[in-house]
Amino acid sequence: MRLVVVNLLLQPWPWVTPSLRCFLPKIEGSILRSVHSSRFSSGRRYRLNRVTADMETQNKLMEKAKRPVNFRLCRVSGSMTEIMEIQAENPTFHVLFIPGNPGVVSFYNEFLESLYEFLDGNASIVAIGHISHTSKDWESGRLFSFQEQIDHKMDFIRQELEKVKVPIVLVGHSIGSYICLEILRKFSKKVVYCIGLYPFLTLNQQSTTQSFIGKLAASSVLSATASFLIASLRLLPMSAARLLVAKSVGASWSDTAVQAACTHLRQYHTMRNVLFMAKSEFIQLAAEPDWDFMRENQSKLAFLFGIDDHWGPLQLFEENPFVQISKQAPGTSLSIEREGHTHGFSCTVAGSEWVAQHVATLIKNRFSQLQ
């Protein structure tokens, strides 16, 4: 999703556009009236059966409807934080989700709802956004480093999850996978499983995209300029901004992802923090991964890689430009997604559902092993 910054700078700006809406067909009363007014008993029975069948189908669809996530704001480490969660009535474990960068939790709405559904309602799920990757500038323009974002997640666990009696499962996307490893390091007794999705664990020296973003993030002048240009899109009405995103970087995105981009990424403070966090990420991830730690915890680790994903290249899994995860920590569960959902899986409904099902399968298998 970091490529949104680059791509938006290259797009034309449409100014007058209607917003796209989805309409559900209205249920009219004509069918019921025809049942009573029909002079033919066979037609009456057919229509009555049809209405009954339709009502049963509608009830089944309502029963299977995904439980919506709840959004709330809370202060963590003194910073206003965006939280999305689904609370189970009697959870057997707790899932903590850490987003990538941008750390906008609303990008993961469909993923979180699908995950809750595939886990059969047995887990409470909470996703925590990054500081100042928010729709409002709660921190008055302050910039937060990668390490500060990691510490922020640690404080959230101490504040809200430390007293939770059920085990915790960590799920992270992109750089969120690295953050999950750091959480596992501090809360190894509480965390029973750690899943990294399209993980960004170390720099990819062969990636021209990473090189470009690294240079952009490293320069305060370029970062401020890029953030200002993106923020200038706030001059557009929401309908025009939605169409711009939908016709450019978000051509295949869900309505939820388009809305998240328009409400959060058009904010100057958000883009400055996205790039500032990326700057400190690139410095910290220049070092080789802590293979000793991963080897010690390999039974708790699982990673999902994507094809042609420069953030988590398959070289880590197969070709070995430095050291393969499979050789350094052979007990780690490693998978490759070949469905074409890409690194930004959460921006599409299909990608969100596929990855959620994969994560749910990993978790269920893990708990069956623990029993």
Side-chain angles (χ1 to χ4, degrees):
M1 284 187 284
R2 280 178 250 217
L3 293 180
V4 172
V5 181
V6 179
N7 290 333
L8 279 178
L9 293 174
L10 305 177
Q11 301 301 322
W13 294 5
W15 290 89
V16 182
T17 58
S19 60
L20 301 178
R21 292 186 175 90
C22 295
F23 294 93
L24 294 175
K26 296 182 179 179
I27 300 175
E28 303 292 349
S30 58
I31 294 179
L32 291 174
R33 287 195 297 270
S34 65
V35 171
H36 295 290
S37 62
S38 175
R39 291 174 295 179
F40 301 100
S41 60
S42 61
R44 184 165 57 248
R45 286 194 300 271
Y46 170 78
R47 292 186 178 91
L48 184 58
N49 291 337
R50 178 65 178 274
V51 171
T52 302
D54 288 346
M55 290 177 64
E56 291 177 352
T57 301
Q58 195 172 35
N59 289 336
K60 289 180 180 179
L61 289 174
M62 290 177 66
E63 291 175 359
K64 293 182 178 180
K66 294 176 182 176
R67 187 170 175 180
V69 296
N70 295 316
F71 176 87
R72 66 181 172 93
L73 291 169
C74 72
R75 286 203 173 273
V76 179
S77 307
S79 298
M80 193 65 76
T81 304
E82 293 184 348
I83 302 292
M84 295 185 76
E85 60 188 355
I86 307 178
Q87 294 292 339
E89 293 182 4
N90 296 298
T92 55
F93 59 97
H94 202 108
V95 175
L96 174 60
F97 178 78
I98 310 296
N101 184 11
V104 179
V105 287
S106 50
F107 272 115
Y108 301 90
N109 189 93
E110 283 92 359
F111 169 73
L112 298 173
E113 291 178 347
S114 297
L115 182 58
Y116 181 85
E117 182 182 26
F118 287 127
L119 290 174
D120 306 315
N122 292 321
S124 290
I125 300 174
V126 59
I128 176 173
H130 297 328
I131 312 174
S132 209
H133 293 210
T134 51
S135 59
K136 293 184 179 180
D137 185 9
W138 302 102
E139 309 305 322
S140 302
R142 180 183 166 189
L143 300 179
F144 294 86
S145 69
F146 181 42
Q147 186 58 53
E148 287 175 308
Q149 299 288 3
I150 294 174
D151 295 339
H152 171 251
K153 309 307 176 288
M154 305 283 192
D155 289 339
F156 176 77
I157 293 176
R158 297 186 185 99
Q159 176 177 311
E160 299 208 9
L161 299 182
E162 198 162 38
K163 294 182 180 180
V164 172
K165 296 181 180 180
V166 296
I168 293 177
V169 174
L170 301 174
V171 181
H173 173 221
S174 190
I175 194 62
S177 303
Y178 186 99
I179 297 176
C180 284
L181 289 175
E182 293 302 297
I183 295 175
L184 175 62
R185 193 189 301 272
K186 295 292 184 180
F187 298 93
S188 59
K189 293 182 179 180
K190 192 72 175 175
V191 175
V192 297
Y193 206 31
C194 179
I195 302 173
L197 307 174
Y198 306 85
F200 180 31
L201 303 176
T202 188
L203 296 184
N204 179 6
Q205 303 296 340
Q206 285 73 45
S207 172
T208 56
T209 302
Q210 282 193 26
S211 176
F212 175 82
I213 295 177
K215 292 177 181 177
L216 173 65
S219 169
S220 298
V221 174
L222 292 178
S223 294
T225 302
S227 299
F228 174 79
L229 291 175
I230 296 296
S232 66
L233 295 176
R234 293 180 63 188
L235 297 173
L236 294 172
M238 179 60 74
S239 58
R242 285 177 59 86
L243 188 63
L244 172 63
V245 174
K247 294 294 184 181
S248 55
V249 295
S252 62
W253 288 9
S254 66
D255 288 341
T256 302
V258 171
Q259 183 69 16
C262 292
T263 55
H264 287 69
L265 300 187
R266 290 193 299 165
Q267 307 295 330
Y268 178 81
H269 71 276
T270 296
M271 291 314 310
R272 283 288 279 137
N273 269 282
V274 166
L275 292 171
F276 188 74
M277 179 177 171
K279 173 184 177 180
S280 47
E281 283 175 38
F282 279 44
I283 295 173
Q284 195 157 333
L285 270 64
E288 189 170 318
D290 188 346
W291 296 116
D292 290 336
F293 171 76
M294 293 180 66
R295 193 160 41 247
E296 292 169 2
N297 293 274
Q298 55 190 321
S299 64
K300 290 185 175 183
L301 301 178
F303 295 104
L304 173 66
F305 289 89
I307 295 177
D308 196 25
D309 178 13
H310 69 89
W311 295 110
L314 284 182
Q315 286 91 332
L316 284 174
F317 188 80
E318 295 171 341
E319 298 176 14
N320 186 23
F322 45 93
V323 181
Q324 296 181 13
I325 291 180
S326 57
K327 290 183 178 180
Q328 289 291 332
T332 302
S333 175
L334 299 175
S335 306
I336 301 176
E337 179 266 301
R338 301 183 185 275
E339 304 297 319
H341 293 307
T342 76
H343 186 87
F345 73 92
S346 62
C347 291
T348 68
V349 174
S352 295
E353 291 181 347
W354 189 94
V355 176
Q357 188 170 31
H358 177 80
V359 171
T361 300
L362 288 172
I363 292 174
K364 288 178 180 179
N365 291 339
R366 173 62 179 171
F367 274 89
S368 65
Q369 294 171 2
L370 294 176
Q371 292 176 352

